[in-house]
Each structure stands twice: as C-alpha cells, then as structure tokens.
Amino acid sequence: MSFFSIAQRHRFSLVILSIWVIAAFIFHQDAALSRDKADFSPRLHNFDSEKSHKTLVAKETSNLAITANVRKTVLDNGLTVLTKEVHNAPVVTVQVWYKFGSGQEASGVNGIAHQLEHLMFKGTSNRPIQFGRLFSALGSDSNAFTSYDQTAYYNTAERDKLTALLTLEADRMKNSLIDPQQLASEKRVVISELQGYENSPAYRLNRAVMMSVFPDHPYRLPIGGTKADVEKFTVAQVREYYQKFYSPDNAVLVIAGDFDTSQTLRKVETVFGKIPKRQYSPHKLIIPSPAVTPTPVIKLQEPGGNPLLQIIYPLPQINQPDIPALEVMDYILTAGKNSYLYQELVESGLAHDVSANVASLRAGGWYEMLVTSVGTQDLTKLDAAVIKALDKLVKIGVTKEQVERAKTQLTASVILNNRDITNQAMQLGNDQITTDNYQYTENHLVNIRKVQVADVINVINKYLQPEARKVGFFEPTKQVATVQSSSYSTPTQENFGIDVAVVPAEVKQYLPPLDILPKAEKRQIPQQLQLANGLRILLLPDKTTPTVTLSGNIKAGTEFESDNQGGLASLVAVNLMNGTKNQDMRTIARGLEVKGANLNFEAYREGVQIKGSSLAVDLPILLGTLTDVIRNSTFPEKEFALARQQALTSLDSDLDDADKVANRIFVQSIYPKKHPLHTFPTAESISKIQRRDVIAFKAQHYRPDTTVLAIVGDFDVNKVRSLIQAKLGDWQVQGKPPTLKYPNVGMPKNMIHVNPVVPGKPQAITYMGYTGINRQDKRFYAAMILNQILGGDTLSSRLGLEVRDRQGLTYGIYSNFITGKNVGTFLIEMQTSPEDAPKAISSTRNLLKQVHQQGVTPIEVETAKRNLISSYNISLANPEQLSQKMVMNEVYGLNQEELRSYISKIEQVSLNQVNQAARELLHPDKIVVVTAGPPILAHKKIK
C-alpha cells in the first residue's frame, strides 16, 4: 500500500511525519489493511471537570521531561548516538537517521534519496539477501521513510534482538549492494508507488502548488520523485549519493527501550565504531527564496471526487522564533470543531472540511491549508471566504482562552504521542537531524507556553498575507464510472525465481545471533468488572507515562443497516458528539480540547469503535464525556443536517478512490444482497436518512449489555472502578439486544473478475479473495502462520518475494485472513500499473496453487512463528493496540488470558496443521478478483 505517511498524523509539526513523508515499505498486513475494507475488527487509529479528578492518579502531570534520561554519545567516526532506557515492556527500537533527503538532491535526479532508501533493503556484500527477510525472521517491525531533510530506518523488536538490529544497520551503512539488476527492478517498484500517490487529487494539487511556492529549490519537488527522473537513474548516480551521504558523521543512531545503556554503548562502539567516515563534506544548506511575483491561481481540471482549494504560505526555518506562535495559530484556526475556520467555513456550509499544517524544516517551511468544498461550490468564492475570515480574525482578535486551549492541546499531543518507544525515538531522531538538538521539542514546548494573544495576531499579519500565498484549485470534471465484468483465464505457467526450500535456510545463514537475556516477566492480565446492567470493563494500570488510553466497542455496526439505509450506523456514531441533554456540540468539544484530550466514535461492520486518550489527571473528564454522549445524545437538527451533508461529500471522495471502490465491489461480490455485510452507503440511502432514524437506531443498539470498555494507563484501579460504577451503573435499557443471523455464503464456482473503472487514475488497485474463517474457528492460529508465510509482509513473504521483489510488479502485496465474530474474509491486495495487473494476478494465483498443492516447509513455519510472536509482543507495548486487543478478545468471546496464551497457541501449531489449512483455505480457482482504477486490458476469454 502507498501511504503519504508512515504514522497517524499528529498536528504538532515536530513529530514531522506529516502527509509528505514517503514510506518505502509497509511490512505487515495490519498496516496495509484499513478497517473500512473487508475488515471486521476496528483498526488502531474529539472533549466540565470534577473537583475530585486529581485523586485518581498517583501524581500530577508535571512539566514534561521528554529527554530526562536520554544520553548523547558521539563516536570517534562522528556517529551521534542517542539512548533512552524505557522499561515498561521487553522491547527495543533501533533507528538510524541520515541527514539526507529530497532537499539535498541536485536538479535532474528528483527522488534519488527515496530510490536509495529502497535499495538499502536489497542486501550488502556481507549479506546478499533481501533485508526485509532478515528483519521478518527477527520478528522486527521494520520500515523506512524519506522526507525533505532526512532518510530514516527504524526497527522495533523484542529486546534480545538489539545486537542483531545494530549489526544489520551497520552493515548496510557501509556495505550496501547497488547493482544494475536491483536498480532496474526497484525503479519499477518506485514508479508503482508514485502512481499510487498520483491517484490522489490532493497529492496532484499540492505538487502543482509547491512548484509555484519554491520555483528554485528542491522543496518544490515531490519527495518520492517523478517518473521521468526515476526512469533515468543510473547505478553510478545512486552509488554517488550513497557514498556521499551514508556516512557515520552524517547519521544519528537512536536506541530506546528495555536495555542497559553502558552495555549497549559498548556494543555500539564495537559494531559501528570501525565504520570509517566517507569523503563527506557537509551539504551547504540552501535557503529557499519563495516566489515574490504574483502568480495566477493554479487550476487542475481532471476527473475526481470533490473540489479542493489548496493554499500555501511560505514560512521561516524551524529554529526561527516565530515558529511557536505559528503552531498556536494553526491550532486556533483548524484544530477541532471549536476552531475558527471550522466555524467560519464548515458550519456555514461553505466547506466540507478544512485542515492545515505548519511544516518546519531545516532550510525553510510553509503553512499549507486544504479546504474540501461542498458539492459544486465555486472555489473562487470559497477562496474569498478564507481571505475574509482571516481579515475578520485580525480585526476581532483571538481570545486568551483560545490561545491557552491551543497551548494545552500542543503540549498534550506531544505527551500522548510519546506513549510508545518507537515514537519516542522518532521524536529524538527528528529533533537531532532537523535542529542539531535532541532536546528541541522539550525547549519548544517551553516557548509554546510563552506565546501570548499579540504573538498570534502578529504572525497572522506577518505571514498569512494574500500576496504571499500561492493558490490551487482542483476542479473535478464530470465522471461516470463503468464496470467491465467477465470471467476469464490468464496464463497459468510462471517460472518462479526462488526455490522455496532454499529461502529460509539462506535467511538463517545471514541472520546475526541473538542476545542471551533473562526471560521477561509474565504479562499482567487486566482486571475485569461487569456491572449489573451487563456493561463489561477491563482495567490495566501502567505507570510508565502520565496518560490513559481508552478503547471500547458497542455492537451497533453497519451490519444492522437495512438495504435502503446504508450509512445509518456511521451517521449515528459521528453525531454522538454533536449535542446531548446537558451540553451542545461546542461545549462538548471545548471540555476535551482545554485538556488536550481526544474521544472518537467510528462505525465498522460488527460494531462501533470507541477510542479516547488524555493525560492521566483528566481521566474523569474523558469518562464523563463518554458517559454523557452515549447516554444523552440528542442529535440536534442543525448538526445532523451538516453531518449528513458531510457524509454525502465523503461518499463522492470515496467513489473517486480506487482502493475504496475496489473494496466496495469486492465485498459486494462475495456477500450477496440481504447479507449483513453487503450494504454500503449510496447517495440515495444517505439522503433518505432522517433525524428520527438515527434516534431510533441509537435507542435500539446502544446498550450497556453490548458495550465493552478497556482502560490502560496511570490510574488507581479501585477509584476508577468506583467512578465507572457512579457514571454508568444506572444506565438501563429495555428488552434484549437485537440479533442477526448470518447466512452461509458459498465459494464462487470459478474465477470472477470485475474491473470498475475510476477515471483519471494511473494505478490499479486489485483485491482478490473469498469468504474465510471467523475468530472462533479452530484453524485460526494455523491460518495466521500460513498467512505470514504467504503474504504477511511485502518483503519476506512468498507473494512479496515473487511479485514484488523478483518481478517488480507492485509496490506492495499483502494477504490476510480477516476474522470477525460471525464471519471472515480471505483477502490479497496489491497495487500495480494497469499493464502489469494481469501478470501480477496470474502470478498470485499460481503461487496460491503452489502452496495449496505442495504446502510449506518446516523452517518457514518456525520463522513465521517467531515473527508472529515477536510482533505480538511489540504490539502489547503500545497502549492503543493493547487496549484494543483487550476489547476485541472480549467481543470475540475469548478469555482475557488470551493476552498470554496467544503465544503458546501459536507455538503449538504443527507443520501438518498449517498445510491442512493451506489445502482447506486456499482456493486459487474459486476466487473473486476486483481491479479498480484504469481499464485493464487482460488476456480475456469470455466464458
């Protein structure tokens, strides 16, 4: 999958992994498959205080000390090493950051930093093997990304893998192979990735406007490169950049997690200390000169979903003193329902959505604003409304309350983002690379707290002037999607380039040894509480950060929608926060925002996901808001009408998204009409939904006896139990919960191929699969191992090695057994150029046939087990993932002991059980294939 970001975007710009970061690979299928696909479990993905709330935690949240126990060491060869011990879980993260990104590229080689990042996974002179296979064998959650100022490689794994990860990173810092065959193959992969980005109108519009903002600086060009430049890259060019920039004195090594600093530094000296400096001369920082002459509005008139308005204002470098006030300004303008531009543009009906971001980089920066229009709204009028709104704000001024709320949100966002070690290390690495000071964020928060009302008005006047900005319009042309459907046969013979019996042995040959460490302590199990009304509560204290993470599930998903009410469950979920018997929408939002807390509800197939987080001292506010909205929501008419219009606008965008179109057609091709999973929203169904419908749905399906809540974080269990009892103990409803009958769905009789055409898309998105198993199926654990071997990640799986690595047909290919409570789906997803789609589909089917008939090998099973177990342990170190696993184990009817026993169940699976699962669950000739995007010219035989 292509993503503009490797992580969920945080508004705080110093987390920097914003929408213009380009990730090289998404290794694991969990990252590739979002919850709105054929999924049945929510993905890991807004706020009256009480006098007693401080008593729930052991301490107040004091001034944040992100770097309190960070140690900085510089080796003789210039390598900067940052270490931070965090002992909340037996995991470590190892990251290497290079001060080299697209901002250092010469003219004519746009994207070479990104191309080099890809090639860094292709092996070294010591280990001529795909590094993704080595990381997978270690069970490491590994990835990489390129941005304007840096390229970073990051790995999170169990603590006994620390030395192995250091060894692999040192090896590719010094010895990477860059040969013609690898470059040719990986250029195809990069072009596939770029085509994925080009599928997005927002990407194309931003690219056009940035060319106008910085006409003479590399910041104007896309990080991932352009197809024209990528096609011309030579081995000599790539090696030149590798030799110049991949030097220890141009790198930062960050290690965070469960380790001993002194011992680890000795290992670092041994592993990295002998790497010599290259002939590197520090790159002279070129400060961009933004265009000063007025330019006309840039207009893109192309097929697409919704009209878009992009506005970009040049800003100074990250170390300039105006940056803190600009951050506060951004929050006041666009953060949440109480933000100024949300009220001026969205609540007024002029826009569907407004978002913005302060990009602060080494050489310069910019403030980018993206406004999604409603329907056929004239973008010229919308642009004029933005100018008028900003002028009005300067005249009326901002309030002290707005400034203080924004400062609180900024501070809380940093604390909440640092709940897991991967993000903690990323904060340190980015700060050191971008500002030469790993304590930058901590110092920046001090400066944030100094921002006053006058400072915000000053930066608006200084930087957000109409003559300084560049503007772009995306004006979608009329499009009519057509569907070409047929059953056809494709070539069935494929010469696989890899001997599957040799591959795992080769991995073992090049894998560094593991550390010998004491066995980790047994994992704590959450405390369980069931109230008299049936509400189930799971509590797991964790004192390592002053935060709390809340997850929940209510059995009120889209499965309960009738054929003519597609979108109803989602409308209910998004409207819960829009007003209650006690508070209006703005009061609800303000109550959370002043504490920097978050609360969100999102409907999926089998339920409604609840996700919340806050500082620990603010847990009573988070629970109080949750209680009020799920018990007392009133769905005010004005807010409901706006939400329904937003749903219609979102639908237009979804129908222009090849990935979402492929998912919709795929699910509806598997599950027939009248099946609970067949219904999707349409413009007609959304338009027909009335306020009385959402009130009735909420009254019927939001019940304590179908609700599960889990809380992980810094709290006193007994006091939280008492608070929950007081808040939710008297929540009563009438009757029994609604039930559904899921009919049996058979396999397709042969291969069915559907090609929904989405105009204007250069890249095709393919979904392949059929009905699968549910979570309670006895074959579940064997299926997880089978899937890891088949397509669990894009670099070490059989599908990845063949279709991506050897043939270069796709940027990403993944498989997954998506298991729900009642039903499941087997799914393979990939992105290709339209001309490569038939060959990629054929290769995939042939590989499925090979595994179905021949099975897998013992060493593949053992490698997959290690990967799954390690990945599972890593996920439990993340409070969001941990709390969600707690909830879904309860939803699926599993004992909370599953948190511990999952690993032993994986370990007990035999080779015979995996191969039996392959025979029973893989059906290459009875498969639904949906390829959305451009028309596919295949070798068709109409049956």
Side-chain angles (χ1 to χ4, degrees), residues 773-794:
I773 60 174
N774 64 30
R775 183 59 179 86
Q776 291 281 10
D777 194 292
K778 64 181 181 180
R779 298 168 293 182
F780 171 81
Y781 301 97
M784 294 301 100
I785 295 170
L786 172 64
N787 182 73
Q788 186 63 29
I789 296 167
L790 178 65
D793 68 59
T794 198

Side-chain angles (χ1 to χ4, degrees), residues 86 88-93 156-159 256-259 421 873-874 877:
V86 183
N88 66 319
V91 297
V92 293
T93 187
T156 302
E158 294 167 307
R159 63 182 182 176
D258 191 15
F259 62 89
I421 60 170
N873 282 327
I874 294 167

